[in-house]
Amino acid sequence: MSTTPVSGAVSGSGPRPLTDAVTEVRVTDPARIGRVLAGRPRADLAGAGRLMVIACDHPARGALGVGERPLAMADREDLLQRCVTALSRPGVNGFLGTAEIIEDLALLGALDGKLVWGSMNRIGLQGASFEMDDRFGAYDAEGIEASHLDGGKMLTRINYADPASAATLKASAEAIDSLSERGLNAMI
């Protein structure tokens, strides 16, 4: 019943040390994820000063490309390694991501002492006919609170020609209210 992150995974051995380590926990002790999230050292938003937040919620909507590399975020091991590296840099004090990435990084200890925002809406898949109708299908305010995160983030795109924009704006306003009621902040 460990509440500590996966030890040795960041410098571990084997061809896929990060994904192997988190997969082992997910298979053998999935409740450990909640314990690690609850027990991780947290940062103080009020004392953070300038924010440098690493964002990694794009794969959830099928946006995997970076520059000339159309599948740069498709390899989970590479993605986790780059997030761990970025989070270790001086001045980086926050992370924004979807649940599975936040859970993996928490298990790896990479979110200790960081501010963390959970991505809330990720249904609008890149290139889909319903891309603008980005409904809330990831974290909700209750899940963000239960995961001991600092707040939630919603992508709020407005397309004057698409009537679905009104529903997205309404859902965003309701999410902001729900986060606020729990003392959590919203990133829009």
Side-chain angles (χ1 to χ4, degrees), residues 46-63:
R50 295 180 67 138
L51 291 177
M52 173 65 78
V53 178
I54 303 301
C56 188
D57 62 345
H58 299 83
R61 55 182 298 267

PDB file of all heavy atoms in Angstrom, residues 46-63:
ATOM      1  N   ALA A  46      -0.590  30.961  -4.810  1.00  0.00           N
ATOM      2  CA  ALA A  46      -0.418  32.349  -4.375  1.00  0.00           C
ATOM      3  C   ALA A  46       1.057  32.733  -4.316  1.00  0.00           C
ATOM      4  O   ALA A  46       1.411  33.876  -4.595  1.00  0.00           O
ATOM      5  CB  ALA A  46      -1.078  32.560  -3.013  1.00  0.00           C
ATOM      6  N   GLY A  47       1.914  31.798  -3.980  1.00  0.00           N
ATOM      7  CA  GLY A  47       3.333  32.087  -3.871  1.00  0.00           C
ATOM      8  C   GLY A  47       4.136  31.736  -5.109  1.00  0.00           C
ATOM      9  O   GLY A  47       5.358  31.836  -5.106  1.00  0.00           O
ATOM     10  N   ALA A  48       3.465  31.330  -6.173  1.00  0.00           N
ATOM     11  CA  ALA A  48       4.165  30.842  -7.361  1.00  0.00           C
ATOM     12  C   ALA A  48       4.848  31.944  -8.155  1.00  0.00           C
ATOM     13  O   ALA A  48       5.812  31.690  -8.866  1.00  0.00           O
ATOM     14  CB  ALA A  48       3.204  30.076  -8.266  1.00  0.00           C
ATOM     15  N   GLY A  49       4.357  33.175  -8.054  1.00  0.00           N
ATOM     16  CA  GLY A  49       4.929  34.239  -8.889  1.00  0.00           C
ATOM     17  C   GLY A  49       4.588  33.982 -10.342  1.00  0.00           C
ATOM     18  O   GLY A  49       3.454  33.665 -10.687  1.00  0.00           O
ATOM     19  N   ARG A  50       5.592  34.065 -11.195  1.00  0.00           N
ATOM     20  CA  ARG A  50       5.375  33.794 -12.621  1.00  0.00           C
ATOM     21  C   ARG A  50       5.151  32.307 -12.829  1.00  0.00           C
ATOM     22  O   ARG A  50       5.805  31.476 -12.210  1.00  0.00           O
ATOM     23  CB  ARG A  50       6.572  34.251 -13.431  1.00  0.00           C
ATOM     24  CG  ARG A  50       6.778  35.751 -13.393  1.00  0.00           C
ATOM     25  CD  ARG A  50       7.971  36.116 -14.214  1.00  0.00           C
ATOM     26  NE  ARG A  50       7.670  35.826 -15.603  1.00  0.00           N
ATOM     27  CZ  ARG A  50       7.986  36.619 -16.612  1.00  0.00           C
ATOM     28  NH1 ARG A  50       8.620  37.727 -16.392  1.00  0.00           N
ATOM     29  NH2 ARG A  50       7.675  36.297 -17.848  1.00  0.00           N
ATOM     30  N   LEU A  51       4.236  31.982 -13.716  1.00  0.00           N
ATOM     31  CA  LEU A  51       3.944  30.574 -13.991  1.00  0.00           C
ATOM     32  C   LEU A  51       4.599  30.126 -15.292  1.00  0.00           C
ATOM     33  O   LEU A  51       4.519  30.821 -16.310  1.00  0.00           O
ATOM     34  CB  LEU A  51       2.438  30.353 -14.100  1.00  0.00           C
ATOM     35  CG  LEU A  51       1.632  30.492 -12.828  1.00  0.00           C
ATOM     36  CD1 LEU A  51       0.147  30.303 -13.133  1.00  0.00           C
ATOM     37  CD2 LEU A  51       2.087  29.502 -11.778  1.00  0.00           C
ATOM     38  N   MET A  52       5.217  28.966 -15.238  1.00  0.00           N
ATOM     39  CA  MET A  52       5.687  28.278 -16.433  1.00  0.00           C
ATOM     40  C   MET A  52       5.045  26.907 -16.367  1.00  0.00           C
ATOM     41  O   MET A  52       5.426  26.055 -15.553  1.00  0.00           O
ATOM     42  CB  MET A  52       7.202  28.162 -16.453  1.00  0.00           C
ATOM     43  CG  MET A  52       7.737  27.298 -17.583  1.00  0.00           C
ATOM     44  SD  MET A  52       7.436  27.926 -19.234  1.00  0.00           S
ATOM     45  CE  MET A  52       8.695  29.168 -19.343  1.00  0.00           C
ATOM     46  N   VAL A  53       4.021  26.701 -17.187  1.00  0.00           N
ATOM     47  CA  VAL A  53       3.212  25.486 -17.139  1.00  0.00           C
ATOM     48  C   VAL A  53       3.453  24.666 -18.401  1.00  0.00           C
ATOM     49  O   VAL A  53       3.323  25.178 -19.513  1.00  0.00           O
ATOM     50  CB  VAL A  53       1.710  25.851 -17.012  1.00  0.00           C
ATOM     51  CG1 VAL A  53       0.851  24.601 -17.003  1.00  0.00           C
ATOM     52  CG2 VAL A  53       1.467  26.685 -15.762  1.00  0.00           C
ATOM     53  N   ILE A  54       3.772  23.412 -18.218  1.00  0.00           N
ATOM     54  CA  ILE A  54       3.917  22.475 -19.329  1.00  0.00           C
ATOM     55  C   ILE A  54       2.527  21.914 -19.632  1.00  0.00           C
ATOM     56  O   ILE A  54       1.858  21.398 -18.737  1.00  0.00           O
ATOM     57  CB  ILE A  54       4.873  21.315 -18.963  1.00  0.00           C
ATOM     58  CG1 ILE A  54       6.255  21.837 -18.540  1.00  0.00           C
ATOM     59  CG2 ILE A  54       4.974  20.310 -20.100  1.00  0.00           C
ATOM     60  CD1 ILE A  54       6.972  22.662 -19.584  1.00  0.00           C
ATOM     61  N   ALA A  55       2.096  22.017 -20.880  1.00  0.00           N
ATOM     62  CA  ALA A  55       0.771  21.524 -21.279  1.00  0.00           C
ATOM     63  C   ALA A  55       0.930  20.248 -22.099  1.00  0.00           C
ATOM     64  O   ALA A  55       1.700  20.210 -23.047  1.00  0.00           O
ATOM     65  CB  ALA A  55       0.028  22.570 -22.080  1.00  0.00           C
ATOM     66  N   CYS A  56       0.174  19.226 -21.717  1.00  0.00           N
ATOM     67  CA  CYS A  56       0.200  17.970 -22.458  1.00  0.00           C
ATOM     68  C   CYS A  56      -1.193  17.346 -22.432  1.00  0.00           C
ATOM     69  O   CYS A  56      -1.415  16.311 -21.817  1.00  0.00           O
ATOM     70  CB  CYS A  56       1.241  17.019 -21.880  1.00  0.00           C
ATOM     71  SG  CYS A  56       1.457  15.558 -22.912  1.00  0.00           S
ATOM     72  N   ASP A  57      -2.131  18.026 -23.090  1.00  0.00           N
ATOM     73  CA  ASP A  57      -3.464  17.441 -23.227  1.00  0.00           C
ATOM     74  C   ASP A  57      -3.854  17.307 -24.694  1.00  0.00           C
ATOM     75  O   ASP A  57      -4.925  16.818 -25.011  1.00  0.00           O
ATOM     76  CB  ASP A  57      -4.512  18.233 -22.443  1.00  0.00           C
ATOM     77  CG  ASP A  57      -4.685  19.669 -22.904  1.00  0.00           C
ATOM     78  OD1 ASP A  57      -3.823  20.192 -23.644  1.00  0.00           O
ATOM     79  OD2 ASP A  57      -5.699  20.279 -22.521  1.00  0.00           O
ATOM     80  N   HIS A  58      -2.969  17.677 -25.588  1.00  0.00           N
ATOM     81  CA  HIS A  58      -3.266  17.613 -27.014  1.00  0.00           C
ATOM     82  C   HIS A  58      -3.491  16.205 -27.559  1.00  0.00           C
ATOM     83  O   HIS A  58      -4.356  16.011 -28.408  1.00  0.00           O
ATOM     84  CB  HIS A  58      -2.163  18.323 -27.805  1.00  0.00           C
ATOM     85  CG  HIS A  58      -2.038  19.768 -27.454  1.00  0.00           C
ATOM     86  ND1 HIS A  58      -1.317  20.188 -26.359  1.00  0.00           N
ATOM     87  CD2 HIS A  58      -2.588  20.863 -27.995  1.00  0.00           C
ATOM     88  CE1 HIS A  58      -1.409  21.498 -26.266  1.00  0.00           C
ATOM     89  NE2 HIS A  58      -2.175  21.940 -27.241  1.00  0.00           N
ATOM     90  N   PRO A  59      -2.753  15.181 -27.086  1.00  0.00           N
ATOM     91  CA  PRO A  59      -3.008  13.839 -27.625  1.00  0.00           C
ATOM     92  C   PRO A  59      -4.452  13.372 -27.420  1.00  0.00           C
ATOM     93  O   PRO A  59      -4.955  12.564 -28.203  1.00  0.00           O
ATOM     94  CB  PRO A  59      -2.023  12.956 -26.848  1.00  0.00           C
ATOM     95  CG  PRO A  59      -0.895  13.879 -26.503  1.00  0.00           C
ATOM     96  CD  PRO A  59      -1.564  15.201 -26.214  1.00  0.00           C
ATOM     97  N   ALA A  60      -5.129  13.885 -26.416  1.00  0.00           N
ATOM     98  CA  ALA A  60      -6.500  13.456 -26.146  1.00  0.00           C
ATOM     99  C   ALA A  60      -7.458  13.845 -27.258  1.00  0.00           C
ATOM    100  O   ALA A  60      -8.512  13.228 -27.411  1.00  0.00           O
ATOM    101  CB  ALA A  60      -6.987  14.046 -24.822  1.00  0.00           C
ATOM    102  N   ARG A  61      -7.113  14.843 -28.041  1.00  0.00           N
ATOM    103  CA  ARG A  61      -7.987  15.221 -29.149  1.00  0.00           C
ATOM    104  C   ARG A  61      -7.389  14.840 -30.499  1.00  0.00           C
ATOM    105  O   ARG A  61      -7.811  15.304 -31.544  1.00  0.00           O
ATOM    106  CB  ARG A  61      -8.368  16.697 -29.084  1.00  0.00           C
ATOM    107  CG  ARG A  61      -7.237  17.677 -29.034  1.00  0.00           C
ATOM    108  CD  ARG A  61      -7.737  19.116 -28.924  1.00  0.00           C
ATOM    109  NE  ARG A  61      -8.520  19.517 -30.062  1.00  0.00           N
ATOM    110  CZ  ARG A  61      -8.022  20.125 -31.130  1.00  0.00           C
ATOM    111  NH1 ARG A  61      -6.742  20.407 -31.209  1.00  0.00           N
ATOM    112  NH2 ARG A  61      -8.805  20.452 -32.122  1.00  0.00           N
ATOM    113  N   GLY A  62      -6.388  13.973 -30.462  1.00  0.00           N
ATOM    114  CA  GLY A  62      -5.799  13.474 -31.700  1.00  0.00           C
ATOM    115  C   GLY A  62      -4.766  14.405 -32.301  1.00  0.00           C
ATOM    116  O   GLY A  62      -4.320  14.194 -33.416  1.00  0.00           O
ATOM    117  N   ALA A  63      -4.367  15.432 -31.581  1.00  0.00           N
ATOM    118  CA  ALA A  63      -3.343  16.354 -32.059  1.00  0.00           C
ATOM    119  C   ALA A  63      -1.994  15.831 -31.580  1.00  0.00           C
ATOM    120  O   ALA A  63      -1.592  16.076 -30.453  1.00  0.00           O
ATOM    121  CB  ALA A  63      -3.607  17.760 -31.528  1.00  0.00           C
TER     122      ALA A  63
END
